[in-house]
Amino acid sequence: MFGNVGRNPYLCQLLHIIIYNMRPLILISNDDGYAAKGINSLIEMVRGLGDIIVCAPEGGRSGMACAFSATEPLTLTLQRKEEGIEVWSCTGTPVDCVKMALHELCPRRPDLVIGGINHGDNASVNTHYSGTMGVVMEGCMKYIPSVAYSLCDHRPDADFSPMAPYVRQITERLLREGLPKGVCLNVNFPVLTAYKGIRVCRMAFGTWGNELQKARHPRGFDYWWMVGTYQNDEPEADDTDNWALSHGYVAITPTRMDVTAYEAMQEVQRLADGIEP
């Protein structure tokens, strides 16, 4: 009956939970910091689904993507502890937080890694910049089912409550069923009090323009702020995350750890043929 279980880490984990009556273990991080409303709302949404360990940056780390601290030491601080929940802060990046939690805080392999809830969307090319997605990519690279939740609202006091039933149900299903190897989920929510439903969709092609704003410092030198305006480069396409969000749907984008462009391999092979030292 269990002859193939050893080849599937998700089945092994599930079987371990069943046999030893262990509660699932959920690891949570973000890029807005441990005190942000989004991550604390997320904790309440998934409370009771398992034991929860939170390891998040001590402050905002937006735009860190998959960056990690190669030259700086890291520290951990326990912020609070209650039944089934520990909240830690780390001085590093979102990826540092996941690495630190897996190495120092988790008593066993987590059943799920969650990033978020992010203040602001992580649709389209924002996926590549996002520290929230850095969290779930790190989990995915460790072969742990991982999901990112984001709300298209940058305000510190954003209302996350409409997301609650969706976040809880998606989380429950991921704990029960897992994800294919090398795949994580990027889930974005529009700013609405009610959603039309869920769309599973691809990442839209988009670009950022006017990304730098120059100013003159009173001490006599120039400096720049990273700003920018986003443009959806395929506004008519109805199978993208941008379309889903702008039409009132929750957008779920399956995201791969393997970024190989398989469809281009033959063309690139032709470019490589005949090149010699």
Side-chain angles (χ1 to χ4, degrees):
M1 177 178 179
F2 299 115
N4 293 322
V5 167
R7 302 176 188 174
N8 188 319
Y10 305 136
L11 289 179
C12 286
Q13 189 82 344
L14 179 61
L15 187 61
H16 195 76
I17 291 169
I18 294 172
I19 293 174
Y20 296 102
N21 195 30
M22 295 169 61
R23 284 161 53 86
L25 179 61
I26 300 171
L27 173 59
I28 296 175
S29 191
N30 72 349
D31 68 359
D32 292 313
Y34 77 94
K37 184 178 179 181
I39 196 170
N40 286 283
S41 297
L42 174 62
I43 292 169
E44 295 308 311
M45 292 176 194
V46 302
R47 182 187 288 269
L49 296 182
D51 293 324
I52 297 171
I53 293 179
V54 177
C55 185
E58 62 180 0
R61 301 287 190 273
S62 294
M64 288 290 182
C66 288
F68 65 95
S69 299
T71 60
E72 297 291 332
L74 304 172
T75 62
L76 277 173
T77 303
L78 179 62
Q79 297 294 338
R80 64 185 173 97
K81 185 175 182 178
E82 55 192 85
E83 182 66 30
I85 299 175
E86 293 182 11
V87 178
W88 295 77
S89 63
C90 174
T91 52
T93 69
V95 166
D96 289 334
C97 291
V98 176
K99 291 180 180 292
M100 184 72 81
L102 294 176
H103 191 270
E104 294 290 331
L105 304 177
C106 295
R108 62 185 187 277
R109 175 189 176 90
D111 300 280
L112 185 66
V113 171
I114 306 179
I117 298 169
N118 190 63
H119 292 249
D121 81 270
N122 280 313
S124 184
V125 292
N126 294 332
T127 302
H128 298 294
Y129 300 117
S130 165
T132 304
M133 285 302 296
V135 168
V136 302
M137 290 300 292
E138 183 66 22
C140 193
M141 285 188 276
K142 297 291 193 292
Y143 307 119
I144 303 169
S146 302
V147 57
Y149 297 117
S150 302
L151 176 66
C152 301
D153 190 338
H154 290 276
R155 295 176 302 167
D157 64 343
D159 181 12
F160 297 94
S161 59
M163 300 172 58
Y166 291 84
V167 168
R168 190 169 181 91
Q169 290 178 70
I170 292 170
T171 302
E172 285 176 326
R173 292 192 180 188
L174 290 175
L175 285 170
R176 186 168 61 247
E177 301 174 18
L179 284 168
K181 179 181 177 181
V183 173
C184 56
L185 297 185
N186 181 13
V187 186
N188 287 275
F189 291 78
V191 184
L192 295 170
T193 56
Y195 311 114
K196 291 182 179 179
I198 292 176
R199 286 288 184 99
V200 177
C201 45
R202 66 177 175 88
M203 186 181 81
F205 281 94
T207 49
W208 282 90
N210 304 313
E211 294 182 271
L212 289 164
Q213 183 172 309
K214 184 178 180 180
R216 188 73 175 171
H217 197 278
R219 293 186 178 178
F221 59 87
D222 294 331
Y223 66 96
W224 290 261
W225 282 105
M226 294 293 293
V227 286
T229 304
Y230 174 75
Q231 174 180 294
N232 181 359
D233 293 332
E234 44 181 349
E236 303 306 318
D238 62 3
D239 61 343
T240 71
D241 49 9
N242 279 169
W243 187 95
L245 292 168
S246 65
H247 287 78
Y249 292 92
V250 178
I252 300 182
T253 303
T255 303
R256 294 185 301 183
M257 178 178 67
D258 178 0
V259 295
T260 305
Y262 291 99
E263 70 280 2
M265 290 185 73
Q266 289 186 350
E267 181 178 348
V268 175
Q269 184 62 56
R270 287 195 296 271
L271 293 173
D273 288 344
I275 296 178
E276 298 178 356

